[in-house]
Amino acid sequence: MKRGFVLISTLSIVAILSFLILIINKTVVQDSIKSYIFNESIHKRIQLINYEKFLIETLQNNSNQLRNLSLAEQQINFLMKEKYENLNVTFTDLNACVNLNSSVKKFREILIRENKNNIVFQRLFQSLDIDESFANYFYDKLVDFIDSDSLPERLGAEDLFYIADEDSNFTSDSYLLSTTQLKDLKVLDIETYNLIKPLFCAIPENYNKFNINSLNESNYLAFSAMFPDITLNDFEQIILNKPITGYINLSHFFELTNMDEGKIIQENIIFKPEYIRISYLLKLEGYEFSMHSVINLKERSNNLISRSFVI
């Protein structure tokens, strides 16, 4: 009996060890494949970064593409497919939303509260059926998060408020770089955050300018917050009369839409984006890798504002 037991035990140990070796080998192979895919993704992203300069210059040199980013996106993806089969490029106009940084203005070398744009935020929140008192609370918290001083607004909060939080968030004391920083204000539940986030943007300027050629149903509320005299009928006329290459300038716009010029604050209307986000989605062996670049199209050099990677 002992010999049989020993034999069975030995065979069991051998079987277990063989099974463990198979698992280890499989894990090693999988890790090697993952390492290869990750390294390949880095190589591809480096190529894209180098290619991005040509892509930006192509946009800057082609006004028709800039006035119709959707068409430009299609053309760029068609060209890129020859070199990157599993790549998708997306352009997002950052001049088709309310700029979070318009809540402050520059005074000498510091950022201070900008009162005149509070009404734009109030209109936007009102259109979303959000209480005016909350809109004022949000604006004060946003100002304190961006401005340079340490004095809280009436409904705002500075660093001491965030130190008390277990996540230890501090105020930025500078322009926001992304709408995701709204989470750091600690005033929005996830439902409200998801509701307002698509209507805001964060560009390193303290103005609100809207690219009329990017107006659509998804950003109409942001547009109407900046231009409250625009009616739904006006909105329809703007969309229906827009040429495929977009409106060229104000006279062209008024000629085609027959709109009352008094309804438009002319200095807040542009016809080509000044800031865009270029998003790259790369698929490799079932894995997805993305890269996002925020670009200042007003500049020909040193025009990268920020770049982020998601794996």
Side-chain angles (χ1 to χ4, degrees):
M1 289 291 291
K2 283 186 176 181
R3 290 180 181 177
F5 177 76
V6 170
L7 179 61
I8 292 172
S9 298
T10 303
L11 290 173
S12 299
I13 292 171
V14 170
I16 292 170
L17 288 174
S18 299
F19 180 69
L20 289 174
I21 290 170
L22 286 173
I23 292 177
I24 292 170
N25 286 338
K26 184 179 180 181
T27 303
V28 169
V29 171
Q30 287 177 337
D31 287 345
S32 298
I33 293 172
K34 288 181 180 179
S35 296
Y36 166 77
I37 294 171
F38 181 74
N39 291 334
E40 183 66 13
S41 75
I42 292 176
H43 175 68
K44 294 288 187 184
R45 279 177 282 178
I46 291 173
Q47 287 182 331
L48 286 174
I49 290 172
N50 293 330
Y51 189 81
E52 189 173 74
K53 183 179 179 182
F54 168 76
L55 193 156
I56 294 168
E57 288 178 350
T58 300
L59 287 175
Q60 290 175 321
N61 293 332
N62 192 325
S63 293
N64 287 339
Q65 283 190 334
L66 276 181
R67 288 196 298 266
N68 189 336
L69 278 182
S70 297
L71 182 60
E73 189 178 287
Q74 295 175 20
Q75 294 173 344
I76 291 296
N77 275 301
F78 178 78
L79 293 173
M80 297 287 274
K81 290 297 181 185
E82 297 180 3
K83 191 171 185 180
Y84 305 98
E85 184 178 352
N86 298 313
L87 175 71
N88 186 65
V89 180
T90 305
F91 297 137
T92 302
D93 189 345
L94 298 181
N95 291 110
C97 39
V98 175
N99 180 19
L100 291 168
N101 294 316
S102 67
S103 59
V104 297
K105 62 182 177 182
K106 277 194 173 182
F107 176 72
R108 296 176 183 171
E109 297 301 319
I110 63 173
L111 297 173
I112 64 172
R113 181 188 180 95
E114 175 58 272
N115 286 312
K116 71 176 184 179
N117 287 326
N118 189 13
I119 187 65
V120 176
F121 285 72
Q122 287 179 348
R123 290 188 198 119
L124 181 57
F125 279 101
Q126 184 180 19
S127 67
L128 295 169
D129 293 324
I130 297 176
D131 187 77
E132 182 181 345
S133 61
F134 180 83
N136 291 328
Y137 174 54
F138 174 87
Y139 196 80
D140 281 2
K141 288 292 291 286
L142 180 63
V143 168
D144 276 336
F145 198 79
I146 302 173
D147 70 8
S148 304
D149 63 45
S150 299
L151 300 173
E153 299 292 322
R154 185 172 66 88
L155 301 173
E158 289 286 350
D159 284 340
L160 288 176
F161 171 83
Y162 296 97
I163 291 174
D165 188 271
E166 61 181 12
D167 294 330
S168 296
N169 288 295
F170 292 87
T171 55
S172 65
D173 295 337
S174 61
Y175 286 139
L176 300 186
L177 294 175
S178 170
T179 52
T180 58
Q181 290 177 274
L182 284 174
K183 292 180 179 179
D184 293 332
L185 294 180
K186 304 295 182 184
V187 297
L188 302 172
D189 56 40
I190 189 64
E191 183 179 351
T192 306
Y193 171 78
N194 289 332
L195 178 66
I196 71 173
K197 183 176 178 288
L199 298 170
F200 283 110
C201 52
I203 59 175
E205 306 279 1
N206 53 21
Y207 61 66
N208 278 308
K209 290 183 181 180
F210 201 100
N211 176 16
I212 195 69
N213 286 315
S214 288
L215 178 63
N216 56 44
E217 291 181 356
S218 65
N219 56 35
Y220 168 71
L221 292 180
F223 179 74
S224 62
M226 296 183 210
F227 306 95
D229 295 329
I230 297 293
T231 65
L232 280 174
N233 182 62
D234 294 329
F235 168 68
E236 291 176 357
Q237 291 303 311
I238 294 171
I239 298 299
L240 292 174
N241 291 294
K242 184 176 69 173
I244 191 165
T245 53
Y247 297 109
I248 299 173
N249 50 37
L250 274 171
S251 60
H252 187 229
F253 171 74
F254 288 127
E255 178 187 347
L256 294 182
T257 61
N258 292 317
M259 186 174 295
D260 180 357
E261 294 186 18
K263 292 183 176 183
I264 293 291
I265 305 170
Q266 297 187 11
E267 61 266 26
N268 291 350
I269 285 286
I270 56 177
F271 298 88
K272 294 182 290 186
E274 295 181 351
Y275 291 87
I276 64 170
R277 180 172 59 248
I278 306 176
S279 300
Y280 309 86
L281 179 62
L282 179 66
K283 295 182 180 180
L284 287 174
E285 304 295 336
Y287 292 88
E288 291 187 349
F289 303 88
S290 60
M291 182 176 79
H292 307 275
S293 300
V294 176
I295 305 297
N296 178 2
L297 291 174
K298 296 185 295 181
E299 302 294 335
R300 288 282 175 170
S301 61
N302 300 320
N303 49 19
L304 176 67
I305 303 301
S306 65
R307 179 175 287 133
S308 59
F309 302 90
V310 180
I311 300 174

